[in-house]
Amino acid sequence: MSSLLKVGELAKQTGLSTRTLHYYDEIGLLVPSHRTEADHRLYSAQDIIRLQQILSLRQLGFSLSEIQACLESPDFSLPQVIDWHRSRLHEQITLSQTLLKRLNGIAKELETTQSVAVENLIETMETITMTEHYFTPEQQALLENRLQENEAEWRDLLTQIQSEMTKGTDFNSPTVRFLARRWLGSMKAFVRGDNDIYAALTRMYQTEGATVDSWGGMDTDTFEYMLKAVSFLTLGEVTESLIPVKKIFTPATQQVLKLGETAIRQINFDILGTEGFLLGFLTDKTNLAGQVLNEMGVTLETVQPLVKKWLGVRPKLPDGWQPPQLPFAMRAKRVIELALERAKATERSQITPEDLLLGILDEAKESGGLATYILKEELNVDLAQLEQQVEFAIARA
C-alpha cells in the first residue's frame, strides 16, 4: 500500500486540482484502483500511467469523451500517445522559435525607429494563433449557438466594418478605432473568456482562408482589416497608455476629471468611466455642464447613490494597488474621442466640460454607458432635451 498515492498527493505531484481528479473519477475516466476503509481514493502506478495518457491527449486537443473512447480501444497504447505528444511538442517548439524570432525583430525595429510595420504585427499574431488547435466538437456546437443568439448584432457590426473598408477610412480614425474596440468586445463576449477558443478562431481564419468565409458571415478580407485596425488600436494604447490630460483638456475639465476620479476611488474602483465624468460635473459647482444638469434636476445627491447602486462598493484595495492616475474605461475613451471632435468642429484644441457632456450624449446614440442609463432610466431625463440645453448654454456663454 505504500506505493499508492492519495488524491491530494497525486494532485500536488501533477499540478492538477483534487476537484479535477474527483471529476475524472465521477465520469469514469480515471477511477482509482484502490480505496481506504474510509472510502478515500488511492492511485496505483497503472492509474498514473492512465493519467499520463489523459493529460497527453488533452494537450493534443482531444475532448474528454474522445479520450475515454481512445483509452477503451484495445488498439490504443501508451507509446502511441507519447509519439503523438512528442510530435505535437516539436510543432510547438518550431512555432515558438518562429514567434521569438519575429518578436525580436519587432523589438529591434522599435528600438531603432520607434515604430513597427503593421505587417510584422500581423505575422506575429498569425504565429501566436497557430500554436493552438481548431475547435473541438463541443466548442464548435457552443459557438454555433452563441452565433445564432447574437446574429443580428454581429451582422450589424460587420456591415459597419465593411462600409468603412469600402470608404478606405484611416485605421487611426475615431470611427475605425471605435469599431475595433466594439469588435474586440464582441469577440470577448462571443468566446466568453475562453482564450483557447479565441486563438483557435483566429488561426482558423488565417490559415484556412476562403474555406471558412461563410462562418459567421465574415470573409477573410474583413477579418484581415479588423486585425490591422486592432493592431493600430493596440499599438496606440501601448505607446500612449494614458491620455495626455493636460494637452487635450482645459483646466476646468481637468478639475472635473479629478473630482470624478476621487468619487470613484471612494467606492474602491480602479477605472474611470462615464459615471465618474457625471460625478465630476456635479461635484464641481463652477462648470457649465454641471449647472445645466442641476437646472434639469440632476444633482450630486441623487446621482451618487445610483452609481453605488449599479457599481457596488468594492472591498478596500491594499496600499499601493491603485494607480496614481486611474485609466479610462474603453467607453470613456470613446466619449473623449467624440468630445474632441466637438471641440475641433469649433476650431478648439482642448475639451471643455460641456464638450465632455455632449460626448457622453453622442456616445449614447451608439450604445450608451452607465452615465446615460442613470440619466435616462433612473432620473427620466430627456437626453435630446439635455443636449439642446447644453448647446444653448454654450451659445449664451
Side-chain angles (χ1 to χ4, degrees):
M1 279 293 199
S2 59
S3 62
L4 300 177
L5 292 178
K6 295 179 180 178
V7 65
E9 295 170 334
L10 182 58
K12 185 177 181 181
Q13 292 188 22
T14 60
L16 295 173
S17 67
T18 55
R19 180 180 296 180
T20 297
L21 293 172
H22 288 167
Y23 179 64
Y24 286 174
D25 183 9
E26 290 170 9
I27 64 175
L29 184 60
L30 179 65
V31 179
S33 301
H34 303 275
R35 290 182 182 266
T36 66
E37 292 182 0
D39 202 33
H40 295 156
R41 299 169 174 85
L42 295 172
Y43 294 84
S44 67
Q46 284 301 116
D47 296 331
I48 295 171
I49 290 172
R50 183 178 175 92
L51 179 58
Q52 170 61 50
Q53 294 173 318
I54 293 169
L55 296 180
S56 294
L57 289 170
R58 283 295 284 165
Q59 191 161 358
L60 288 166
F62 283 58
S63 67
L64 294 181
S65 59
E66 290 171 330
I67 292 171
Q68 193 145 21
C70 286
L71 295 180
E72 291 173 0
S73 170
D75 299 326
F76 199 71
S77 65
L78 179 59
Q80 185 180 27
V81 177
I82 297 299
D83 285 343
W84 284 353
H85 202 163
R86 288 173 60 201
S87 175
R88 177 60 181 159
L89 286 174
H90 279 302
E91 291 177 11
Q92 290 176 337
I93 290 169
T94 300
L95 287 169
S96 295
Q97 289 172 340
T98 302
L99 176 58
L100 179 60
K101 182 178 178 181
R102 289 178 176 174
L103 288 174
N104 285 339
I106 289 175
K108 186 174 181 180
E109 193 171 351
L110 284 170
E111 285 177 6
T112 56
T113 66
Q114 301 299 310
S115 63
V116 60
V118 172
E119 290 76 11
N120 291 345
L121 289 173
I122 298 299
E123 286 179 1
T124 302
M125 282 192 287
E126 287 174 350
T127 305
I128 292 171
T129 57
M130 285 177 65
T131 60
E132 300 293 340
H133 286 285
Y134 289 169
F135 311 118
T136 64
E138 291 88 348
Q139 289 173 332
Q140 181 67 30
L142 193 65
L143 291 179
E144 291 292 349
N145 287 336
R146 289 178 186 170
L147 184 64
Q148 291 176 8
E149 290 172 4
N150 302 284
E151 185 173 5
E153 180 181 350
W154 179 249
R155 292 194 179 279
D156 174 65
L157 175 58
L158 292 184
T159 299
Q160 293 185 48
I161 292 169
Q162 288 159 355
S163 173
E164 299 305 322
M165 281 178 60
T166 302
K167 291 188 288 188
T169 307
D170 188 273
F171 287 116
N172 279 321
S173 73
T175 301
V176 175
R177 287 168 65 88
F178 168 68
L179 289 174
R181 290 194 189 107
R182 186 179 166 195
W183 186 76
L184 279 175
S186 295
M187 292 300 291
K188 287 177 182 178
F190 190 50
V191 302
R192 297 181 188 174
D194 192 326
N195 291 329
D196 290 338
I197 290 181
Y198 179 75
L201 178 64
T202 305
R203 183 189 175 214
M204 180 184 71
Y205 270 108
Q206 291 180 322
T207 59
E208 298 298 333
T211 62
V212 292
D213 277 352
S214 60
W215 200 94
M218 178 184 281
D219 58 33
T220 49
D221 287 341
T222 306
F223 189 73
E224 291 297 331
Y225 179 85
M226 287 314 299
L227 280 183
K228 289 184 179 180
V230 169
S231 295
F232 272 94
L233 176 68
T234 303
L235 189 58
E237 291 182 345
V238 167
T239 54
E240 297 178 14
S241 57
L242 292 174
I243 291 174
V245 172
K246 292 184 179 179
K247 181 179 179 181
I248 67 169
F249 296 121
T250 64
T253 312
Q254 293 176 42
Q255 176 68 4
V256 164
L257 295 177
K258 182 179 179 181
L259 293 170
E261 182 173 320
T262 299
I264 291 300
R265 286 183 186 274
Q266 288 174 355
I267 55 176
N268 301 319
F269 267 69
D270 54 3
I271 192 166
L272 186 60
T274 58
E275 63 284 348
F277 296 171
L278 185 57
L279 290 171
F281 296 140
L282 297 171
T283 304
D284 176 27
K285 304 298 183 183
T286 63
N287 74 87
L288 194 59
Q291 292 170 6
V292 172
L293 287 166
N294 283 162
E295 289 170 4
M296 296 192 69
V298 181
T299 66
L300 180 64
E301 292 70 27
T302 56
V303 170
Q304 205 162 32
L306 292 172
V307 171
K308 289 182 180 180
K309 168 187 171 182
W310 287 106
L311 290 185
V313 178
R314 292 182 178 179
K316 190 176 187 308
L317 295 173
D319 291 340
W321 277 40
Q322 277 197 342
Q325 179 182 331
L326 296 186
F328 293 105
M330 291 184 69
R331 192 183 303 280
K333 290 181 181 179
R334 176 58 177 162
V335 166
I336 291 169
E337 289 175 351
L338 292 168
L340 191 56
E341 287 182 5
R342 286 268 188 174
K344 289 180 177 178
T346 55
E347 300 182 347
R348 290 179 288 107
S349 60
Q350 290 188 307
I351 296 170
T352 65
E354 299 75 57
D355 293 324
L356 199 59
L357 179 52
L358 289 172
I360 290 175
L361 298 175
D362 286 341
E363 196 276 334
K365 299 167 188 174
E366 298 174 347
S367 55
L370 181 55
T372 49
Y373 181 86
I374 288 174
L375 291 171
K376 183 179 179 181
E377 303 299 332
E378 293 280 10
L379 302 178
N380 298 315
V381 173
D382 184 322
L383 298 186
Q385 184 183 358
L386 174 58
E387 182 177 354
Q388 291 175 358
Q389 290 298 321
V390 174
E391 290 175 340
F392 181 66
I394 292 172
R396 283 187 311 175

